[in-house]
Amino acid sequence: MTMASNKIKKKIDPEVLWLERLGFFDVIAAFVRKPFSDRTVYFGENGETRLARYALAFIERRKMHLKILPLSLSLENESARMETLVYKVNQDMHACAEDLFAAYMSGRTSRLKSVFRCYMAGALRSRVAFAVVVEYRSKPMIGTRHIIRFTRHPMNRVLCHLYRRRGFAVKEYMGMSAYIVSIGRLLNFLASVIRSKVLSAPPPSNIPEIKPSIWIEYDHESFIDLAFWEESAKRKCFDIIYYLDRKNATISPEITNSIEKEGALWIDTRLKSIASNLSTVQMIALIKEFIRSDDRPFWLRFFDFEYNFWSLIYAALFKKYKVKILIQHQDTSWKQGVQVAAMESAGGIMIGFHWSSYPARMGIDHFFPYHVFFVWGKLISDILQPYDSKCRHVLPSGVWIQKDDVELKELRDRLKTFKFAFTIFDSTVSYNIHQTPSSLSRFYLLLLELLEKNASWGTVIKNKMGELDKISELPGGRDIVRRFQLLIDAGRVFFLSSMTSPVTAAALTDISVCYGLNSAGIVAGTYGHRVLHWDCAGWLLHPFYKDRGQKIAYRVLEELGSAITAASNGDSSIGDFSKWRQSFNHFEDFNADSRVGRFIGKFMEDIVKTGDVDSSLDSAVWQYKETNMIDDSFPRVETTEGAA
């Protein structure tokens, strides 16, 4: 009797199956198991296949309800006292990397490990984020067996071990798609080299002659101007060349003509255009290394191949074109580590610019391997330094932002007729990050409610999406758009172009109201404007929260609404950014362009004369610190293996 009871109890013990994605056979399996088990299935939001959706709909129409539910993958934390799950994702990513190093890479250099951290993050981050959400959601389910099933990937081993140690049963989907994709990439590399050898043509460009140069990554879709310093750098001895290699890079006459109209030079550096820089002998050596018989797992073989493949190509390319400074802003690309090593091989340096306000110490998916990294101020430097960023020099530049000459006098005069006006800055959202469409919808609904209650208020909206109709894609978005349209028709709400400077937008009104800990709001604050942030995610380790008296960042949406109302009634302490201006903008001026331009001009003048990259860099850094009176709060970070 006892044994029978135990068997029955075992059958009805509750369990939860957490699926990264929901397939057709998962639905069928849940249907078959329904009479025999108490299992609930959760699948990652937006992760069901088309056949799975059809199967679920078919079963639901026949009233055969299954406990299959979507799992929100949001990394926001709505509790005011709880922090964003991004912190936990970063911790687990770091733990996975350390486990891989201990098992397979103990003899590798510090430089290579830093590159691999970022490489691994690109492969595993979405999987780790899914697991973190699962762990968080499962905590209240006491007495329940939990099973996680991941999409198969060559590097899953460490992730599976990590969550087994935490009490989860861990499984993987059958399939070889990740391996097939990797082999396909390898074959594409080989095909690109062969094709380039057959065609034997140099990369498309308008470079008239090769001489010492600065290469700047070109992105036609970005508002970030990486050449903001250009007018302050003396260009007698070098060229400035825009290189095109981003995934969204389309080398069309429209793009190249727009560059040439500015009197600039450009070069196509996509793989198919530069693969010829790899010799046949080098290619054969890479293949031999890839297939060499040893105990390396597949993923490590492929990493070694890809790292060495790009290193050889970039080193030859940069040397051939006499590149002395490389500037780009792909913060989450592991190839930065390859490029910085290639620049050293070619006798140059890599420079980075901090261009967005980081809300926290960044995870291993962000990578800063520069020889020189210019940041706005000490607060950003403090966030970067504790992590293994591997910058040789971190220097303050002050805030730099692309200036615009938009004439908004008519709008400014109209806004002065209101008793109170505020500027709205929203931000990027997605279902699986720390800012979601749902929370952005709630943000807009609060502001609409305030506007509708206060007929003497007006507002300006600088929408990240660029147009009002895009807001309709949010939950309840059609109603939000309808209500905004009524206020637009009444002359109380005004939309600005997404390309308008946040400083220009903030200057139009009494205070700025931001969704998230928003870079636009931080920049506006450094320019002396009042600013409020709704911290929808929960960045509780941010320095703002160390100051209990601060009235800038709010975790609770209703408290943000109360702060806006208090500001409208004349409370000037609301949104006062004066205490933080110097932390974010080291020099409390807006001359970053001239400072950085003189640094670059000095380095280029010296290296062209001497050819000695180390002495030229040291001299330029010393002069920069002396001229700008920079003390040891911005330390020099030495490494024995170069900048990365």
Side-chain angles (χ1 to χ4, degrees):
M1 187 70 179
T2 304
M3 290 179 64
S5 298
N6 286 340
K7 288 181 180 179
I8 293 171
K9 184 178 180 181
K10 186 175 181 180
K11 286 183 180 179
I12 63 173
D13 276 350
E15 66 179 25
V16 177
L17 176 62
W18 306 87
L19 303 177
E20 194 176 350
R21 61 175 177 82
L22 181 71
F24 173 76
F25 290 107
D26 296 315
V27 178
I28 300 304
F31 178 76
V32 171
R33 290 178 62 101
K34 182 182 177 183
F36 311 106
S37 67
D38 182 13
R39 171 182 280 189
T40 303
V41 177
Y42 287 95
F43 64 92
E45 184 180 2
N46 297 333
E48 72 273 32
T49 65
R50 183 179 299 178
L51 280 177
R53 284 198 299 270
Y54 290 157
L56 280 175
F58 178 83
I59 291 171
E60 290 295 319
R61 283 197 299 268
R62 281 153 181 76
K63 310 297 182 183
M64 297 180 290
H65 301 296
L66 297 177
K67 291 192 288 185
I68 300 180
L69 305 167
L71 171 68
S72 170
L73 298 179
S74 166
L75 300 178
E76 293 177 329
N77 203 318
E78 295 182 8
S79 171
R81 289 188 291 272
M82 299 293 286
E83 61 190 29
T84 173
L85 295 179
V86 175
Y87 292 134
K88 188 66 169 60
V89 172
N90 290 345
Q91 290 170 9
D92 283 3
M93 289 290 294
H94 187 73
C96 287
E98 292 305 310
D99 284 351
L100 284 173
F101 293 158
Y104 301 109
M105 303 181 72
S106 59
R108 302 297 181 104
T109 64
S110 174
R111 159 172 282 173
L112 208 60
K113 288 179 179 178
S114 295
V115 178
F116 179 76
R117 283 190 182 96
C118 191
Y119 181 89
M120 187 204 77
L124 289 187
R125 192 183 191 285
S126 63
R127 225 161 271 111
V128 172
F130 169 75
V132 165
V133 171
V134 167
E135 185 177 28
Y136 178 75
R137 301 296 180 192
S138 68
K139 284 181 179 178
M141 303 178 187
I142 300 172
T144 302
R145 180 172 181 258
H146 295 281
I147 307 164
I148 303 179
R149 184 179 293 165
F150 293 116
T151 303
R152 183 176 292 274
H153 189 275
M155 278 188 270
N156 271 4
R157 175 183 176 276
V158 288
L159 184 58
C160 293
H161 285 183
L162 180 65
Y163 277 83
R164 285 189 183 115
R165 292 198 299 268
R166 294 177 181 176
F168 290 89
V170 182
K171 299 180 179 180
E172 291 184 274
Y173 285 97
M174 298 296 291
M176 302 290 289
S177 60
Y179 294 87
I180 294 171
V181 168
S182 295
I183 293 297
R185 286 172 60 195
L186 188 148
L187 294 175
N188 179 58
F189 292 154
L190 298 179
S192 297
V193 173
I194 293 170
R195 183 170 57 244
S196 67
K197 295 294 184 185
V198 172
L199 296 176
S200 188
S205 75
N206 69 336
I207 301 173
E209 62 175 319
I210 295 176
K211 63 181 183 179
S213 59
I214 299 173
W215 279 21
I216 303 174
E217 178 189 52
Y218 183 79
D219 182 4
H220 69 280
E221 296 180 353
S222 176
F223 65 91
I224 299 167
D225 180 13
L226 294 176
F228 67 95
W229 46 267
E230 182 179 356
E231 292 183 4
S232 298
K234 298 177 181 179
R235 292 182 54 182
K236 296 179 181 178
C237 58
F238 62 90
D239 283 334
I240 294 177
I241 299 171
Y242 289 96
Y243 71 94
L244 298 91
D245 76 338
R246 295 179 70 92
K247 290 181 179 179
N248 62 353
T250 302
I251 314 301
S252 65
E254 291 77 16
I255 297 296
T256 56
N257 288 342
S258 68
I259 297 174
E260 291 174 3
K261 283 181 181 178
E262 299 295 324
L265 302 176
W266 61 271
I267 184 169
D268 179 359
T269 57
R270 294 174 299 174
L271 175 59
K272 67 179 184 180
S273 299
I274 64 174
S276 61
N277 287 281
L278 189 72
S279 72
T280 303
V281 172
Q282 290 171 329
M283 190 73 237
I284 293 172
L286 288 177
I287 296 171
K288 286 182 177 179
E289 176 64 17
F290 181 79
I291 64 176
R292 176 168 57 88
S293 178
D294 55 33
D295 60 353
R296 288 177 302 162
F298 175 83
W299 56 263
L300 186 52
R301 290 175 183 273
F302 193 81
F303 169 72
D304 288 340
F305 176 89
E306 197 165 2
Y307 180 91
N308 292 321
F309 177 86
W310 286 109
S311 292
L312 292 167
I313 289 177
Y314 281 137
L317 179 72
F318 297 156
K319 186 173 183 179
K320 178 180 179 180
Y321 283 90
K322 299 181 181 179
V323 185
K324 299 305 176 186
I325 295 178
L326 187 74
I327 299 173
Q328 51 81 56
H329 69 106
Q330 298 192 49
D331 292 353
T332 57
S333 171
W334 67 273
K335 287 183 185 175
Q336 295 176 99
V338 179
Q339 290 173 327
V340 78
M343 283 301 298
E344 289 176 0
S345 176
I349 64 171
M350 190 166 169
I351 290 178
F353 299 119
H354 155 235
W355 53 274
S356 180
S357 181
Y358 305 123
R361 176 175 160 181
M362 306 309 289
I364 63 174
D365 54 334
H366 282 70
F367 188 33
F368 310 103
Y370 315 113
H371 294 92
V372 182
F373 193 16
F374 287 101
V375 299
W376 291 348
K378 189 176 186 303
L379 191 146
I380 300 299
S381 175
D382 290 345
I383 285 175
L384 291 174
Q385 286 302 320
Y387 192 68
D388 188 19
S389 63
K390 294 295 184 183
C391 297
R392 185 179 294 184
H393 301 279
V394 179
L395 298 174
S397 63
V399 167
W400 59 273
I401 187 169
Q402 189 168 344
K403 300 178 176 65
D404 60 26
D405 53 1
V406 178
E407 179 53 59
L408 298 172
K409 183 179 183 305
E410 184 177 342
L411 175 57
R412 185 175 286 105
D413 291 343
R414 175 71 181 96
L415 289 165
K416 287 179 180 178
T417 65
F418 294 107
K419 174 190 172 185
F420 177 70
F422 59 92
T423 298
I424 299 173
F425 295 115
D426 67 7
S427 190
T428 303
V429 296
S430 180
Y431 71 94
N432 61 350
I433 63 172
H434 59 280
Q435 296 176 165
T436 63
S438 175
S439 62
L440 181 55
S441 179
R442 290 165 52 211
F443 175 74
Y444 273 130
L445 287 170
L446 170 79
L447 300 182
L448 275 168
E449 182 181 346
L450 291 172
L451 286 165
E452 290 166 348
K453 284 182 179 179
N454 297 276
S456 61
W457 290 14
T459 193
V460 169
I461 301 177
K462 183 178 180 296
N463 186 322
K464 191 89 169 183
M465 294 179 281
E467 52 189 87
L468 176 63
D469 288 345
K470 290 287 186 180
I471 296 176
S472 65
E473 299 171 5
L474 300 174
R478 290 185 179 180
D479 182 55
I480 294 173
V481 170
R482 179 187 62 80
R483 291 163 68 182
F484 266 133
Q485 191 60 59
L486 291 173
L487 293 169
I488 291 171
D489 294 342
R492 294 180 54 208
V493 171
F494 308 89
F495 267 77
L496 296 177
S497 163
S498 61
M499 301 301 288
T500 304
S501 162
V503 178
T504 300
L508 293 169
T509 62
D510 299 293
I511 198 168
S512 295
V513 182
C514 305
Y515 169 74
L517 292 189
N518 196 305
S519 294
I522 298 295
V523 170
T526 66
Y527 272 74
H529 303 296
R530 292 194 295 159
V531 60
L532 299 172
H533 299 260
W534 177 40
D535 179 13
C536 56
W539 299 107
L540 297 186
L541 301 182
H542 192 280
F544 282 155
Y545 293 111
K546 294 179 181 179
D547 177 9
R548 294 188 177 183
Q550 63 88 18
K551 297 180 181 180
I552 297 170
Y554 294 84
R555 278 290 285 128
V556 180
L557 189 57
E558 291 71 23
E559 291 179 1
L560 176 74
S562 298
I564 296 171
T565 301
S568 74
N569 292 328
D571 187 344
S572 60
S573 69
I574 300 295
D576 182 4
F577 204 81
S578 58
K579 182 177 179 179
W580 298 92
R581 286 178 64 182
Q582 204 269 338
S583 296
F584 280 98
N585 186 21
H586 185 76
F587 300 101
E588 292 193 272
D589 63 21
F590 307 100
N591 300 322
D593 52 352
S594 60
R595 270 188 291 272
V596 174
R598 288 193 295 270
F599 173 90
I600 289 175
K602 164 67 173 170
F603 173 81
M604 289 300 294
E605 182 180 357
D606 286 356
I607 198 169
V608 170
K609 286 181 180 177
T610 68
D612 188 331
V613 63
D614 289 327
S615 66
S616 299
L617 178 57
D618 289 344
S619 176
V621 169
W622 180 86
Q623 180 173 296
Y624 188 87
K625 287 185 173 182
E626 286 293 308
T627 302
N628 296 293
M629 295 181 289
I630 299 168
D631 59 28
D632 290 337
S633 62
F634 282 84
R636 176 177 173 140
V637 183
E638 296 286 3
T639 69
T640 58
E641 300 176 90

